[in-house]
């Protein structure tokens, strides 16, 4: 005790009663992932939606298989398959309105295609032809993001700007469990919550960040629990249950559009294939684990639900598969055609107004190409009459 305290001159003021700024209880996710298929909740789902989800899941499964085959044929440099995660991909695309924006990661090619982007254009980046093979504004799909989680702050910025302009737009940003270890993830969630931006964050927890399992990345009870620290609701859903993922994402989109702010959704799924065609997954996981998850396959789960309710028969199954084969044949034929590339396109879409340095480099390259063409023409054998 100090001298002043002994003399009675010091009277510490008790701190005011502390109250949390936000009640954390409504923000907490469920203990178990939310499910629809195989439960009574499935009875309230529109049969037409279930059929649409099924047709797109079958198509998506075939798309993944065909794209993987194209890497083995040398037509793609790399392909990060989403086999086993198709329910997340399809639901993300279907939960959005036409005016909304999708911000995908590099593994979300299937979601991009389901949003309406041409299948070949969606693969152009992975073939190495363009940075982005499609016009982002046409379908409101941001470029496939190869750097981890950098698309998340972009989604928040777009959504916040749209709200300031009075545009009724929601952004849905997709990321893997590995991306939640990046600073961009935390910065995006913080900004979105503070600004109450109309954003939905979908984390596809597929078990591994390349070879790093989830328990080596975080000690949190779930990734959805991370939402509470930023003041937004967290939702936990079975990522292989297409109907459940669609319902949860649709609710989150409506919540954001109504001014309720962002939501973090964790979809628990599994990456059946390797990280990419360059990865050897047998080095960090066993066959038994993979086979266990094949028993919870998203296509099979939905097919079982539809057939048991009399909403799908053998003809319907055959029709969905045949339609998927037509898509795969068209993709294969067009990807097997060598693209006609123009080296001068290197300078397109870099800046709205090219810098003097870019104009100089473009002129230099054009001169080199013209000189090379003239040399080839002069060296070619000349035909003539004898």
């Amino acid at each position: 005790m100090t001298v002043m305290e002994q003399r009675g001159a010091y009277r510490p003021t008790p701190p005011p009663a502390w109250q949390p700024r936000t009640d954390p209880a409504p923000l907490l996710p469920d203990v178990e992932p939310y499910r629809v298929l195989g439960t009574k909740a499935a009875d309230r789902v529109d049969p037409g939606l279930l059929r649409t989800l099924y047709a797109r899941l079958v198509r998506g499964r075939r798309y993944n298989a065909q794209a993987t085959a194209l890497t083995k044929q040398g037509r793609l440099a790399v392909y990060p398959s989403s086999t086993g995660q198709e329910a997340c991909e399809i639901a993300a695309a279907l939960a959005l309105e036409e005016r909304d924006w999708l911000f995908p990661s590099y593994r979300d090619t299937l979601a991009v295609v389901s949003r309406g982007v041409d299948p070949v254009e969606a693969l152009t980046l992975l073939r190495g032809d363009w940075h982005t093979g499609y016009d982002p504004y046409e379908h409101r799909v941001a470029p496939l993001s190869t750097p981890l989680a950098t698309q998340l702050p972009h989604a928040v910025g777009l959504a916040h700007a749209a709200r300031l302009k009075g545009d009724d737009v929601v952004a849905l940003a997709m990321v893997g469990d590995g991306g939640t270890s990046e600073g961009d993830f935390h910065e995006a969630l913080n900004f979105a919550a503070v600004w109450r931006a109309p954003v939905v964050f979908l984390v596809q927890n597929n078990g591994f960040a390349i070879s790093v399992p989830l328990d080596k990345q975080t000690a949190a009870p779930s990734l959805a629990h991370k939402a509470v620290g930023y003041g937004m609701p967290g939702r936990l859903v079975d990522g292989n249950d297409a109907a459940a993922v669609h319902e949860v994402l649709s609710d989150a989109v409506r919540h954001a559009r109504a001014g309720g702010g962002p939501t973090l959704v964790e979809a628990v799924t599994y990456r059946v294939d390797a990280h990419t065609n360059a990865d050897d997954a047998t080095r960090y996981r066993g066959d038994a684990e993979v086979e266990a998850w094949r028993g919870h396959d998203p296509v099979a789960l939905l097919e079982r639900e539809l057939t048991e309710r009399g909403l799908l028969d053998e003809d319907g199954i055959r029709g969905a598969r045949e339609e998927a084969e037509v898509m795969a044949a068209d993709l294969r034929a067009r990807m097997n055609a060598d693209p006609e590339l123009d080296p001068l396109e290197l300078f397109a879409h870099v800046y709205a107004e090219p810098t003097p340095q870019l104009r100089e480099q473009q002129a230099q390259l054009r001169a080199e190409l013209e000189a090379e063409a003239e040399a080839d023409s002069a060296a070619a054998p000349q035909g003539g009459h004898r």
Side-chain angles (χ1 to χ4, degrees):
M1 182 177 296
T2 66
V3 173
M4 292 187 67
E5 288 175 326
Q6 291 175 347
R7 293 176 178 175
Y10 177 71
R11 294 289 186 270
T13 303
W18 180 84
Q19 294 293 331
R21 296 176 59 188
T22 303
D23 181 7
L27 306 181
L28 288 169
D30 295 333
V31 176
E32 294 290 332
Y34 177 68
R35 295 182 175 88
V36 169
L37 299 180
T39 74
K40 292 182 179 180
D43 296 336
R44 68 172 184 263
V45 183
D46 177 21
L49 172 62
L50 291 177
R51 292 192 187 97
T52 299
L53 287 169
Y54 176 73
R56 295 205 181 190
L57 285 178
V58 172
R59 178 186 174 97
R61 177 62 56 84
R62 186 65 185 89
Y63 179 88
N64 273 317
Q66 185 58 69
T68 300
L70 288 168
T71 63
K72 298 177 181 178
Q73 298 162 5
R75 287 298 178 179
L76 281 177
V78 66
Y79 184 68
S81 173
S82 58
T83 297
Q85 302 177 219
E86 292 94 345
C88 301
E89 303 280 314
I90 299 302
L94 289 181
L96 295 173
E97 300 290 341
E98 185 177 350
R99 61 186 179 277
D100 297 329
W101 275 81
L102 178 71
F103 283 78
S105 72
Y106 59 86
R107 194 177 300 281
D108 300 321
T109 313
L110 180 54
V112 171
V113 172
S114 298
R115 184 77 171 145
V117 174
D118 181 274
V120 171
E121 291 183 354
L123 292 174
T124 302
L125 167 69
L126 303 174
R127 184 157 63 171
D129 296 345
W130 273 74
H131 294 299
T132 298
Y134 53 87
D135 181 356
Y137 290 96
E138 181 179 356
H139 300 285
R140 299 208 164 198
V141 178
L144 288 163
S145 178
T146 302
L148 291 182
T150 56
Q151 73 275 18
L152 304 187
H154 299 167
V156 176
L158 182 141
H160 181 57
R163 191 181 63 172
L164 292 177
K165 291 174 61 179
D167 294 340
D168 188 19
V169 169
V170 174
L172 193 155
M174 305 177 71
V175 68
D177 51 287
T180 66
S181 297
E182 296 290 326
D184 300 76
F185 171 82
H186 301 278
E187 293 157 6
L189 264 64
N190 193 55
F191 276 122
V194 170
W195 290 337
R196 296 185 67 81
V199 185
V200 177
F201 299 98
L202 172 59
V203 178
Q204 296 178 82
N205 177 7
N206 63 18
F208 294 92
I210 306 183
S211 61
V212 180
L214 185 65
D215 60 5
K216 298 297 184 183
Q217 296 184 67
T218 180
S222 74
L223 294 173
H225 277 80
K226 293 180 182 291
V228 183
Y230 296 100
M232 69 177 72
R235 297 293 307 275
L236 186 63
V237 63
D238 182 344
N240 287 17
D241 184 333
V245 180
H246 183 270
E247 179 182 326
V248 169
L249 289 179
S250 297
D251 287 347
V253 168
R254 284 191 292 268
H255 178 77
R257 201 183 307 280
T263 301
L264 174 64
V265 178
E266 177 189 354
V268 182
T269 183
Y270 195 77
R271 193 191 73 217
V272 174
D273 289 343
H275 174 67
T276 69
N277 53 292
D279 174 42
D280 179 9
T282 62
R283 298 181 62 183
Y284 54 85
R285 67 183 187 186
D287 292 340
E289 177 180 322
V290 178
E291 288 305 312
W293 274 96
R294 288 189 188 277
H296 195 60
D297 180 83
V299 180
L301 287 176
L302 188 50
E303 186 174 296
R304 185 183 307 122
E305 180 76 32
L306 287 168
T307 53
E308 289 180 353
R309 294 176 57 182
L311 300 174
L312 183 69
D313 55 18
E314 289 298 327
D315 288 339
I317 295 173
R318 187 182 309 108
R321 292 175 180 175
E322 289 175 353
E323 181 183 346
E325 287 300 328
V326 171
M327 176 276 302
D330 177 71
L331 176 62
R332 185 168 57 248
R334 291 197 289 149
M335 288 295 293
N336 282 333
D338 292 328
E340 296 182 5
L341 303 179
D342 181 4
L344 290 174
E345 288 180 344
L346 284 169
F347 302 94
H349 310 299
V350 179
Y351 291 101
E353 180 65 32
T355 64
Q357 293 85 354
L358 277 180
R359 288 196 294 269
E360 179 183 352
Q361 293 168 17
Q362 185 179 34
Q364 180 180 350
L365 178 57
R366 181 181 290 108
E368 292 176 358
L369 292 173
E370 290 174 352
E372 183 178 335
E374 291 177 1
D376 290 343
S377 177
Q382 301 296 320
H385 296 288
R386 294 185 179 180

